[in-house]
């Protein structure tokens, strides 16, 4: 990585894409046979010294980086336009023709590494985390799970496809649900009610399809767990996600602490909202509007403005951070605005070979979009920092560590949100909304987490039991002040 600060100018740097020493630079993956030879090379290669072992690890790392990035672009493009069947086919090709063939080789490579007589000559501290994950992967590998992973990957994408088709008509215009959600901040209560009911009605249209999809996913996930000798998918997932440092019981304690310590704080906020709005009863469509009757905060106008302001914000935190986003802008590694046919949600996808990650989101002009941008920007900075680590496997952090980078950036950046709000009162209001939002997120996290524990511990449940359980959990972490 090359970087410098010109006199009186912005911090600039140049990313050097990883040089390929094992695979050809012009390789385009269109079939398994094209790349199988490289897997065979690693499988058959003799390792006669610790230097041979390190070279073998580096070549495997290069192969992993190329495949990871190829898969990443297929996934990104498919989410950007779920209506393009060719993009869907491109993603399914990788999931169905490449990934299943690589899995047995990966298991063989892991075994070859652990059984190597030169393993003891590697720096134990330097490779500790990596080798721990390799040993974990060996324990979890089951040949019969390979086709199940293919089915799961395809089915998981169905949620995005179904959601991307959801639109509603408000004020005579067709809008995505993300665009429609802007009306939930409207100061006109009748308009908020209309938007809420239309969004909910549209989601309900696909209720049965989503229930069936979840059934199918859970059945296959449970099958994966059973094959790997686990009682349920939750236990399997804890192991596969590398959760070596905490248990399900720790999660349950977390749930209890949220209920005891955070929910009462949320109740105080809801009471203040109710009094400020002057309503007899809080309704679901009253929860996003400014309680003091102010118009919704408008931190930016369009995706370009959002990005430029975020770059300015990151420049103030540390010039290198702004330079990272500037490089992403230069390379077109962002797709920020909501539109019809685009899958919902947001993510940062690391690109291990090029070294410049991709940010995907569905901005509609709200404060939460600016927060999402700095959140994903935090992930992106983390990705830039890991770019020069020796092995591709070193660059992948567990979700707990990854979210530390992103959610910390939400809070670190707040003192520089004056780039989004020139009016000091709006700036103050935005920070208050963010801090209240952090509190509100905690019960939501506990709700979803407790629900997932229950789903997989009680797989024989019916749709009605599932819905009833969700309502019960919602009451546990709710304040009882919102009339649904």
């Amino acid at each position: 990585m090359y970087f410098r600060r010109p006199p009186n100018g912005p911090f600039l740097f140049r990313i050097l894409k990883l040089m390929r020493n094992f695979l050809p630079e012009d390789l385009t993956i269109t079939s398994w046979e094209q790349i199988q030879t490289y897997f065979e090379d690693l499988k058959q290669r003799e390792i006669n010294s610790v230097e041979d072992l390190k070279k073998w690890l580096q070549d495997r790392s290069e192969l992993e980086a190329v495949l990871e990035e190829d898969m990443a672009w297929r996934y990104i493009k498919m989410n950007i336009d779920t209506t393009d069947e060719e993009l869907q086919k491109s993603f399914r090709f990788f999931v169905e023709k490449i990934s299943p063939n690589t899995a047995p080789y990966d298991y063989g490579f892991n075994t070859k590494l652990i059984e190597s007589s030169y393993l003891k000559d590697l720096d134990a501290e330097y490779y500790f985390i990596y080798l721990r994950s390799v040993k974990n992967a060996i324990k979890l590998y089951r040949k019969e799970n390979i086709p199940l992973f293919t089915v799961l990957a395809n089915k998981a994408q169905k949620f995005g496809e179904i959601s991307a088709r959801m639109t509603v008509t408000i004020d005579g215009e067709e809008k995505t649900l993300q665009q429609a959600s802007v009306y939930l901040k409207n100061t006109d209560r009748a308009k908020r009610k209309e938007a809420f009911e239309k969004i909910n009605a549209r989601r309900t249209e696909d209720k049965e399809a989503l229930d069936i999809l979840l059934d199918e996913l859970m059945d296959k996930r449970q099958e994966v767990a059973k094959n790997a000798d686990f009682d349920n998918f939750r236990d399997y997932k804890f192991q596969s996600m590398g959760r070596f440092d905490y248990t399900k019981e720790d999660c349950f304690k977390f749930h209890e602490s949220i209920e005891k310590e955070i929910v009462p704080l949320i109740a105080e906020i809801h009471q203040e909202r109710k009094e400020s709005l002057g309503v007899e009863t809080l309704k679901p469509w009253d929860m996003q509007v400014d309680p003091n009757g102010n118009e919704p905060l408008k931190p930016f106008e369009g995706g370009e403005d959002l990005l430029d302001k975020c770059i300015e914000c990151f420049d103030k935190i540390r010039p290198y951070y702004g330079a990272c986003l500037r490089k992403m802008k230069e390379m077109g590694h962002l797709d920020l605005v909501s539109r019809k046919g685009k899958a919902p949600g947001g993510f940062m996808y690391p690109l291990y070979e090029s070294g410049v990650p991709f940010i995907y989101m569905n901005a509609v002009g709200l404060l939460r979009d600016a927060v999402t941008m700095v959140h994903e920007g935090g992930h992106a900075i983390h990705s830039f920092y890991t770019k020069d680590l020796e092995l591709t496997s070193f660059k992948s952090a567990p979700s707990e560590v990854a979210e530390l980078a992103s959610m910390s950036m939400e809070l670190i950046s707040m003192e520089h949100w004056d780039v989004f709000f020139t009016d000091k009162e709006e700036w103050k209001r935005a920070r208050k909304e963010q801090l209240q939002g952090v509190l509100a997120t905690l019960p939501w996290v506990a709700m979803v987490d407790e629900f997932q524990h229950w789903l997989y511990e009680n797989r024989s449940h019916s749709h009605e039991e599932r819905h009833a359980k969700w309502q019960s959990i919602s009451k546990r972490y709710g304040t009882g002040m919102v009339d649904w």
Side-chain angles (χ1 to χ4, degrees):
M1 182 185 298
Y2 166 78
F3 52 90
R4 66 186 176 88
R5 190 199 303 271
N8 302 316
F11 190 102
L12 301 175
F13 68 87
R14 180 165 56 93
I15 287 286
L16 299 177
K17 181 181 177 181
L18 291 180
M19 293 290 293
R20 293 186 185 179
N21 299 302
F22 183 44
L23 279 70
E25 289 287 349
D26 60 352
L27 176 67
T28 301
I29 301 174
T30 57
S31 70
W32 163 246
E33 289 71 26
Q34 268 184 307
I35 56 175
Q36 185 177 11
T37 181
Y38 305 105
F39 283 88
E40 281 294 322
D41 179 308
L42 292 171
K43 178 182 177 180
Q44 303 296 339
R45 190 185 305 180
E46 290 188 10
I47 297 175
N48 298 312
S49 67
V50 69
E51 288 73 24
D52 284 349
L53 181 58
K54 289 181 178 179
K55 179 63 168 64
W56 181 87
L57 285 169
Q58 288 166 359
D59 287 347
R60 181 186 181 186
S61 175
E62 180 182 313
L63 180 59
E64 289 172 343
V66 171
L67 290 177
E68 286 273 3
E69 186 149 335
D70 188 277
M71 170 67 165
W73 281 116
R74 294 171 193 265
Y75 179 80
I76 291 165
K77 291 175 182 178
M78 174 192 63
N79 277 280
I80 287 173
D81 186 1
T82 63
T83 67
D84 189 324
E85 182 55 31
E86 289 304 310
L87 296 177
Q88 302 292 320
K89 285 168 60 178
S90 174
F91 173 76
R92 288 197 299 269
F93 159 76
F94 200 100
V95 168
E96 296 170 2
K97 304 298 182 183
I98 303 299
S99 295
N101 284 308
T102 65
Y105 281 99
D106 286 334
Y107 173 72
F109 297 159
N110 288 338
T111 303
K112 182 173 184 174
L113 171 61
I114 296 303
E115 293 178 351
S116 171
S117 59
Y118 299 98
L119 182 67
K120 65 183 186 304
D121 298 320
L122 293 177
D123 185 325
E125 183 177 356
Y126 183 73
Y127 289 96
F128 170 74
I129 299 255
Y130 171 58
L131 293 176
R132 182 176 66 174
S133 67
V134 167
K135 293 172 184 175
N136 191 46
I138 291 172
K139 289 179 182 177
L140 291 173
Y141 177 80
R142 299 294 186 279
K143 185 177 181 180
E144 56 268 36
N145 278 341
I146 295 173
L148 293 177
F149 290 141
T150 300
V151 173
L152 284 169
N154 281 325
K155 285 192 178 296
Q157 286 309 116
K158 291 294 181 183
F159 176 79
E161 292 176 31
I162 293 171
S163 300
R165 292 196 296 266
M166 295 182 184
T167 62
V168 295
T169 300
I170 301 180
D171 292 339
E173 294 183 17
E174 184 181 26
K175 298 181 181 294
T176 66
L177 299 196
Q178 292 82 10
Q179 292 166 340
S181 69
V182 173
Y183 288 87
L184 298 177
K185 291 185 172 288
N186 196 294
T187 55
D188 183 338
R189 199 182 194 201
K191 180 61 70 174
R192 297 199 304 272
K193 182 175 185 287
E194 176 195 2
F196 181 89
E197 290 181 339
K198 285 186 174 181
I199 291 170
N200 245 25
R202 178 60 189 88
R203 284 187 174 135
T204 303
E205 287 181 28
D206 288 309
K207 173 172 167 286
E208 183 178 359
L210 291 171
D211 263 329
I212 292 171
L213 177 60
L214 183 54
D215 287 341
E216 294 171 344
L217 283 164
M218 285 194 296
D219 286 343
K220 293 299 180 184
R221 288 167 177 166
Q222 293 290 71
E223 196 175 338
V224 166
K226 293 293 184 183
N227 288 342
D229 304 318
F230 287 87
D231 290 336
N232 59 65
F233 185 72
R234 187 272 317 279
D235 292 348
Y236 170 85
K237 201 63 178 174
F238 257 63
Q239 185 85 10
S240 70
M241 294 182 79
R243 290 179 172 168
F244 302 107
D245 304 305
Y246 65 97
T247 66
K248 62 183 180 183
E249 287 76 21
D250 291 316
C251 292
F252 301 150
K253 291 177 184 176
F254 172 73
H255 302 160
E256 292 171 5
S257 67
I258 296 300
E259 181 182 19
K260 178 182 176 182
E261 304 293 344
I262 303 299
V263 172
L265 295 176
I266 303 298
E268 291 180 22
I269 294 171
H270 285 182
Q271 180 62 36
E272 179 185 321
R273 170 173 288 274
K274 179 182 174 182
E275 293 171 0
S276 297
L277 286 173
V279 296
E280 185 175 335
T281 306
L282 284 174
K283 291 287 188 177
W285 47 85
D286 294 326
M287 304 313 293
Q288 294 189 39
V289 65
D290 181 78
N292 297 311
N294 296 309
E295 290 296 320
L297 291 167
K298 294 280 291 181
F300 61 92
E301 294 287 343
E304 186 83 7
D305 189 40
L306 169 61
L307 176 55
D308 288 342
K309 286 178 175 176
C310 193
I311 290 173
E312 185 180 351
C313 177
F314 276 29
D315 275 335
K316 290 186 174 185
I317 300 170
R318 184 169 292 177
Y320 173 74
Y321 296 171
C324 289
L325 293 188
R326 206 171 278 113
K327 172 57 68 173
M328 294 172 69
K329 178 180 180 179
E330 175 191 319
M331 296 181 67
H333 283 205
L334 307 107
D335 193 293
L336 306 180
V337 178
S338 175
R339 55 184 174 274
K340 186 178 179 181
K342 185 177 178 182
F347 57 79
M348 184 285 307
Y349 212 125
L351 300 170
Y352 293 130
E353 186 178 31
S354 66
V356 179
F358 192 100
I359 289 179
Y360 171 103
M361 55 182 285
N362 278 273
V364 293
L366 300 176
L367 172 63
R368 71 180 181 192
D369 299 321
V371 174
T372 298
M373 183 63 209
V374 297
H375 176 105
E376 302 302 341
H379 282 307
I381 301 304
H382 201 171
S383 182
F384 276 102
Y385 271 135
T386 63
K387 177 193 175 298
D388 293 324
L389 294 179
E390 183 180 355
L391 300 181
T392 299
S393 295
F394 288 0
K395 304 174 187 181
S396 178
S399 58
E400 293 84 355
V401 175
E403 294 306 320
L404 177 64
S406 58
M407 301 191 83
S408 295
M409 187 63 83
E410 292 182 25
L411 301 177
I412 292 169
S413 66
M414 284 173 60
E415 65 178 299
H416 303 296
W417 284 6
D418 54 326
V419 303
F420 295 106
F421 305 101
T422 55
D423 181 276
K424 287 190 175 180
E425 286 304 309
E426 287 195 344
W427 183 18
K428 180 179 178 181
R429 183 178 145 204
R431 287 180 288 175
K432 181 179 179 180
E433 279 192 29
Q434 167 64 4
L435 291 174
Q436 289 184 342
V438 170
L439 288 174
T441 295
L442 291 169
W444 175 250
V445 169
M447 286 168 61
V448 174
D449 190 54
E450 181 177 335
F451 189 53
Q452 290 193 99
H453 284 279
W454 181 86
L455 285 177
Y456 294 108
E457 288 182 330
N458 302 274
R459 176 56 199 102
S460 60
H461 65 264
S462 66
H463 292 174
E464 291 72 23
E465 289 171 327
R466 183 192 302 167
H467 302 158
K469 184 61 179 180
W470 175 254
Q471 290 179 29
S472 171
I473 293 174
S474 298
K475 288 179 181 178
R476 177 182 180 184
Y477 300 102
T479 64
M481 299 178 66
V482 183
D483 177 15
W484 288 81

